[in-house]
Amino acid sequence: MKRAMFVVAAGAFAWSAHAASIIPGDARRGEQLFDTEQCIQCHSVKGRGGDIAPDLARRVDRNYTPTVMASLMWNHAPDMWAAMKKHGISQAHMTPESAADLFAYFVSARYFEQPGDAGRGKQAFAAKHCAECHGVTTSNAAGAPPIAKWESLGDPIILAQQMWNHGAKMREAFAQKKLAWQALTAQELTDILVYLQNLPETRTLAQNFQFPPSDSGEALFQSKGCSGCHVGKLALETRLRNQTLTQIVVDMWNHQPSMKNPPPVLSQEEMRQILSYVWAKQYFRGNGTADRGKKVFSDKNCATCHNDPSSGAPKLAKGKDAYSDITMVAALWEHGPHMLELMNQKKLAWPRFTAEQMSDLIAYLNSL
């Protein structure tokens, strides 16, 4: 089994539903931090780094989201700190900005994607009638470029842009062949990409994943007419919650037949900006419940210290920036060791959270 892997430079954001600001993350800085913050001493990404802890890029066979990752980091923090102390690794500082950079780096390494299988991809490519028009080195139909010339195989943003722009022509081609629109799942698209990327004719294609901070994504989302439909129940931050980039691309593809108006043509840069904006808006948007979070706060003994001024622990309340998965990771790394020391003194067990509990806790803290 092989995986599709797009790695070079990516950007992501820490988004808060309660705050107007977005913390920009840059995967290039994140990769540097992975080295300088000593993560590489224990963890590796794609085989580069230590072997004490798991390879973060290979653990894509489970349903990882930023919330899951934040809860796992919290749960394993005491073991991580003990291992670092044992191996003489000093703990560096982590700000919300640096945490966002690390998240962006993991995204660029497809940390939150599902693995693909070339065998399944070959079957799906045929079953979805793709091979009837797209040959490997030659075109089997007018206007259908051969696979060997698909620059989109090396850049998922270009893939999204080309699938979107050619949707109308694809509908015509399917209609001429009297075929129904071929809907895709994220797994099918991932499998197809792995199959196509590992053909002898495409293995040398350069791979590049640039997902920059979206300066104009929101304005484009409005000017292209997207915001006119995606409001209320159709708002993307709820419909696309915790979806991967591949899932978003598939949703855009499957959405084509139901669009009342012809879809707007997008340049590569416009697609990059819009996807960056949409992805960030939904991926880091919390979906917890404050009422449940209040119970988590009590059950995990958070109130024992944080509601007691004599404990030395700060009283938790929302400041100018809201809590998010990003800020929770940064706070854990900065203040966790001292927190663990205080809890040991009080003979309290280190709190462990499921992803749902972490989301609920964040929602509660943002309600204070």
Side-chain angles (χ1 to χ4, degrees):
M1 179 183 293
K2 295 184 178 180
R3 290 189 300 273
M5 193 67 69
F6 299 103
V7 183
V8 172
F13 309 90
W15 168 271
S16 169
H18 303 274
S21 61
I22 293 177
I23 302 174
D26 188 316
R28 288 163 293 190
R29 292 197 305 260
E31 184 174 12
Q32 294 172 354
L33 285 169
F34 191 75
D35 294 348
T36 59
E37 299 286 292
Q38 306 299 318
C39 311
I40 197 171
Q41 297 297 320
C42 297
H43 289 283
S44 59
V45 171
K46 297 191 305 169
R48 187 181 73 87
D51 57 5
I52 300 173
D55 184 318
L56 297 179
R58 290 181 179 174
R59 302 195 67 180
V60 293
D61 56 331
R62 295 166 63 183
N63 185 28
Y64 277 105
T65 65
T67 303
V68 171
M69 186 175 176
S71 63
L72 287 176
M73 286 187 67
W74 191 284
N75 295 343
H76 295 296
D79 292 335
M80 284 194 291
W81 295 325
M84 291 172 67
K85 183 177 181 180
K86 177 181 178 180
H87 293 277
I89 300 172
S90 60
Q91 183 172 327
H93 294 291
M94 184 181 296
T95 65
E97 289 75 19
S98 59
D101 290 340
L102 284 171
F103 267 81
Y105 174 48
F106 296 145
V107 171
S108 75
R110 296 291 291 270
Y111 185 72
F112 302 115
E113 296 282 10
Q114 297 296 314
D117 181 86
R120 290 197 308 258
K122 182 177 182 179
Q123 294 175 352
F125 194 74
K128 298 295 180 179
H129 305 282
C130 310
E132 295 177 15
C133 295
H134 297 284
V136 176
T137 58
T138 59
S139 175
N140 296 334
I147 298 166
K149 294 185 178 181
W150 287 10
E151 60 177 330
S152 57
L153 291 179
D155 190 328
I157 304 297
I158 297 178
L159 176 71
Q161 182 245 357
Q162 293 186 349
M163 289 179 68
W164 177 260
N165 287 346
H166 295 304
K169 292 182 179 179
M170 294 296 295
R171 287 200 302 271
E172 293 177 3
F174 284 138
Q176 290 174 1
K177 291 178 176 289
K178 297 182 179 180
L179 295 172
W181 180 260
Q182 299 298 299
L184 292 168
T185 66
Q187 187 63 66
E188 287 172 334
L189 179 57
T190 301
D191 291 339
I192 288 173
L193 288 174
V194 172
Y195 161 60
L196 297 179
Q197 289 165 348
N198 285 282
L199 292 171
E201 296 83 359
T202 62
R203 288 176 183 169
T204 58
L205 289 176
Q207 294 187 342
N208 182 41
F209 180 13
Q210 295 181 347
F211 206 18
S214 179
D215 298 325
S216 59
E218 184 175 9
L220 283 168
F221 191 77
Q222 295 175 354
S223 65
K224 295 294 182 178
C226 311
S227 60
C229 294
H230 291 290
V231 293
K233 293 182 179 180
L234 298 179
L236 296 183
E237 55 264 43
T238 53
R239 291 173 65 87
L240 301 181
R241 179 176 294 154
N242 281 340
Q243 289 201 14
T244 65
L245 179 60
T246 302
Q247 288 170 323
I248 292 176
V249 171
V250 164
D251 282 340
M252 293 174 68
W253 170 262
N254 293 340
H255 182 49
Q256 287 268 1
S258 62
M259 295 187 69
K260 297 179 181 179
N261 300 317
V265 175
L266 300 173
S267 68
Q268 290 181 13
E269 182 57 28
E270 287 174 336
M271 179 61 78
R272 203 176 297 278
Q273 291 289 337
I274 289 176
L275 275 182
S276 186
Y277 164 70
V278 170
W279 187 89
K281 189 173 184 180
Q282 58 81 29
Y283 212 85
F284 288 100
R285 184 181 188 273
N287 61 345
T289 301
D291 288 341
R292 292 199 306 259
K294 183 177 182 180
K295 186 175 186 302
V296 172
F297 190 80
S298 175
D299 291 347
K300 300 297 182 179
N301 295 311
C302 307
T304 302
C305 294
H306 289 290
N307 286 352
D308 179 9
S310 65
S311 69
K315 186 173 180 61
L316 300 179
K318 186 178 67 174
K320 63 177 182 178
D321 294 321
Y323 292 94
S324 68
D325 303 316
I326 290 288
T327 60
M328 292 295 278
V329 167
L332 166 70
W333 205 249
E334 281 292 296
H335 307 293
H338 181 59
M339 176 181 168
L340 178 61
E341 182 181 344
L342 290 177
M343 295 190 72
N344 287 337
Q345 292 174 3
K346 292 179 177 289
K347 297 182 179 180
L348 294 173
W350 180 258
R352 295 179 180 273
F353 302 93
T354 65
E356 182 180 29
Q357 289 172 332
M358 179 64 73
S359 290
D360 291 339
L361 179 61
I362 291 172
Y364 170 64
L365 294 177
N366 282 323
S367 72
L368 297 177

